[in-house]
């Protein structure tokens, strides 16, 4: 005879793995989607003579010219990459806010999908902040970090302070112990709480 506790534990582990995988894939989907739609400038490759030149000896004049041209190309690439990082950071932040808004709305009806959206939104938010920092634009980076901080504070307050999870509230239909594994409230046959009989 199978133990129902083992079945519930296995189901909970599977749901957790599914949530982590789906949230990670959502963040990757947003990141790769932006890279496909709005690719960044291509990094210049060093010429073979520059890549193979030894630093210990004086390079030939033509190698020095190639190296100087390569350094100019790298500086131009870095200048073009900075606004691209900023744009990607802003778009990622908007996508993260949408995912983080959809997560709690869906979580009451579909807890696993709601939590996956929350995780995907948090990872996308982190991606947006990192890209904002890579832009080397202090104002843009500060704006992205500020918005991310406000969103996280609001989400944390709404989720953990304003309306903490109620064990007697809506539960995942596949888990009789509720979405967080807490037992449901037991009511006696006369309709009163067992401690007030």
């Amino acid at each position: 005879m199978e133990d129902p506790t083992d079945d519930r534990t296995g189901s909970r582990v599977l749901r957790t793995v599914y949530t982590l995988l789906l949230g990670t894939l959502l963040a990757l989907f947003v990141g790769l989607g932006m890279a496909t739609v709005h690719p960044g400038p291509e990094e210049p490759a060093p010429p073979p003579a520059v890549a193979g030149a030894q630093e210990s000896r004086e390079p030939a004049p033509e190698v020095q010219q190639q190296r100087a041209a390569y350094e100019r190309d790298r500086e131009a690439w870095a200048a073009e990459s900075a606004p691209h990082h900023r744009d990607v950071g802003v778009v990622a932040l908007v996508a993260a806010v949408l995912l983080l808004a959809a997560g709690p709305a869906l979580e009451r009806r579909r807890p696993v999908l709601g939590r996956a959206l929350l995780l995907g939104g948090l990872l996308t938010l982190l991606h947006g902040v990192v890209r904002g920092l890579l832009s080397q634009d202090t104002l843009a980076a500060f704006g992205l970090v500020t918005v991310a901080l406000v969103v996280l504070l609001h989400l944390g307050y709404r989720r953990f302070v304003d309306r903490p999870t109620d064990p007697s509230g809506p539960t995942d239909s596949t888990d009789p112990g509720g979405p967080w594994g807490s037992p449901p409230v037991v009511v006696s046959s006369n309709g009163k709480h067992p401690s007030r009989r």
Side-chain angles (χ1 to χ4, degrees):
M1 183 176 178
E2 293 184 2
D3 186 359
T5 306
D6 292 341
D7 188 38
R8 284 198 300 270
T9 303
S11 178
R12 191 174 295 129
V13 169
L14 186 60
R15 283 198 310 273
T16 301
V17 171
Y18 178 80
T19 301
L20 291 173
L21 184 59
L22 183 58
T24 304
L25 286 176
L26 278 171
L28 285 173
F29 176 78
V30 172
L32 291 174
M34 287 186 293
T36 302
V37 174
H38 184 47
E42 188 174 348
E43 183 177 3
V50 172
Q54 296 181 358
E55 297 291 337
S56 58
R57 61 184 177 83
E58 185 69 22
E62 60 183 31
V63 174
Q64 289 181 350
Q65 290 176 353
Q66 290 180 359
R67 180 175 291 168
Y70 171 65
E71 291 298 329
R72 285 194 300 271
D73 290 344
R74 290 242 350 139
E75 289 173 5
W77 169 77
E80 291 177 19
S81 295
H84 178 262
H85 285 307
R86 183 197 60 219
D87 296 344
V88 170
V90 170
V91 173
L93 185 66
V94 171
V97 169
L98 292 176
L99 288 172
L100 291 172
L106 186 63
E107 189 176 14
R108 289 195 176 270
R109 289 176 285 135
R110 299 286 184 264
V112 174
L113 292 178
R115 290 181 208 131
L117 286 175
L118 284 172
L119 178 61
L122 290 173
L123 292 174
T124 305
L125 186 69
L126 179 63
H127 175 72
V129 169
V130 170
R131 293 300 287 263
L133 295 174
L134 289 175
S135 71
Q136 299 178 353
D137 183 344
T138 308
L139 184 61
F142 178 72
L144 286 169
V145 170
T146 302
V147 173
L149 181 62
V150 169
V151 168
L152 284 179
L153 286 174
H154 176 73
L155 180 67
Y157 180 80
R158 289 287 309 270
R159 183 171 177 84
F160 302 115
V161 179
D162 189 28
R163 54 177 185 87
T165 305
D166 181 11
S168 62
T171 60
D172 186 353
S173 59
T174 61
D175 184 5
W180 302 107
S182 42
V185 175
V186 178
V187 179
S188 65
S189 59
N190 63 1
K192 295 182 180 177
H193 195 277
S195 62
R196 298 177 185 168
R197 289 183 183 172

